[in-house]
Amino acid sequence: MSTAPWAAQFGLARTPFGKSIPARDLFARQAHAEAIARISFCVVESALGVVTGDVGAGKTVALRAAVAALDPTRHQVIYIANPAFGTRGLYVTIVRALGAQPRYLKAELMAQAGDLLAAEAAERHRRVVVICDEAHLLQPDQLEELRLLTNSEMDSSSPFAGILAGQPTLNRQLRMGTFAALDQRIATRFTIKPMDLAESAAYLRVGGRGRRQGPHRRRLRQESRRRAHPGLTTPRKTARRPRPPTAR
């Protein structure tokens, strides 16, 4: 794929700060490393985890990096970008992701989802990872259905690993008394804090990586300055004339 013209104009390999950056090239910060470690723990233990943070803190970035590290032959990832589909939608999403046609009656649909989740582990030897982004939008009845889905083998194990990622209001919602049964099942919680000044400066430096080296970099800087200040002209350097000798 060729470089975008506006990126090539300034000697960049790609548009900086884009959303399509590969997981291996994501900006590394301690908060993201901790979030990824906790997500990985939930996957290994088939546990529930909660990752929160303000808008733009990097929750989805951490999810992408964690998923990229999973072996696709041993894991089945079900990513829910928008949970605003009611309680039935949760089961429908799981059933379709596991390759089946959802049944019509909800009672049958619930049983179907449970059977498919169990079959992934018992027959295909794959661990299902259900990731719900924007989880602060989940309705109370959806949260209760999620808790019921984690029941397996007389509540001795969970048939999948679950990650709820959302804004800080999610933590407050889960700590309400009505969700006590779900709250006690959560194995780990982590809040991604905003970048500090040092991290912000490092992020800006990394955003311009891929810059080509060469003598034309000064010309690119001058072009950037000219575009930012159209009325500004760059004076040309002129050779200095030798001064006449001073009479003694």
Side-chain angles (χ1 to χ4, degrees):
M1 183 179 295
S2 60
T3 306
W6 49 84
Q9 173 68 28
F10 296 99
L12 301 175
R14 59 171 177 263
T15 303
F17 313 116
K19 296 179 66 175
S20 59
I21 300 175
R24 65 179 181 275
D25 294 334
L26 292 171
F27 178 65
R29 39 180 314 230
Q30 183 60 37
H32 281 168
E34 181 67 23
I36 293 168
R38 300 209 184 198
I39 294 169
S40 300
F41 166 79
C42 290
V43 172
V44 171
E45 298 294 330
S46 289
L48 282 177
V50 175
V51 177
T52 57
D54 291 325
V55 176
K59 300 181 293 295
T60 306
V61 169
L63 293 173
R64 284 177 52 199
V67 169
L70 297 178
D71 182 353
T73 65
R74 300 179 59 189
H75 300 87
Q76 172 65 49
V77 178
I78 302 175
Y79 176 70
I80 301 173
N82 182 3
F85 44 40
T87 56
R88 178 179 172 81
L90 179 63
Y91 294 104
V92 168
T93 300
I94 292 174
V95 168
R96 285 178 175 168
L98 297 180
Q101 182 65 29
R103 295 171 183 167
Y104 180 74
L105 296 177
K106 185 177 178 180
E108 295 181 354
L109 179 62
M110 294 170 62
Q112 183 185 23
D115 291 342
L116 289 171
L117 287 171
E120 284 295 311
E123 300 175 11
R124 298 179 179 84
H125 306 289
R126 294 197 301 179
R127 180 154 298 171
V128 177
V129 183
V130 178
I131 299 176
C132 183
D133 215 344
E134 306 295 339
H136 56 279
L137 299 177
L138 284 166
Q139 299 296 323
D141 51 354
Q142 289 178 301
L143 289 170
E144 181 61 16
E145 297 287 349
L146 183 65
R147 181 187 70 83
L148 294 175
L149 273 173
T150 62
N151 291 340
S152 179
E153 299 180 7
M154 293 186 179
D155 204 17
S156 62
S157 64
S158 174
F160 65 94
I163 306 297
L164 302 179
Q167 296 180 22
T169 54
L170 176 62
N171 277 327
R172 295 194 292 271
Q173 184 178 10
L174 290 173
R175 287 192 169 92
M176 295 173 61
T178 53
F179 302 115
L182 174 62
D183 188 62
Q184 71 177 3
R185 292 173 185 263
I186 296 173
T188 183
R189 293 178 174 87
F190 185 69
T191 298
I192 301 178
K193 301 294 185 181
M195 290 184 185
D196 57 24
L197 184 59
E199 287 178 325
S200 299
Y203 180 61
L204 291 173
R205 288 194 298 269
V206 171
R209 67 184 166 185
R211 184 173 301 182
R212 297 192 298 268
Q213 304 296 324
H216 64 290
R217 289 184 61 181
R218 182 173 58 185
R219 177 178 60 81
L220 294 173
R221 289 196 299 269
Q222 292 174 349
E223 177 67 13
S224 176
R225 192 183 307 116
R226 183 185 66 79
R227 294 191 176 199
H229 306 282
L232 181 65
T233 57
T234 303
R236 295 182 178 179
K237 291 185 179 180
T238 57
R240 293 184 177 181
R241 295 181 180 180
R243 294 181 179 181
T246 303
R248 294 183 177 179

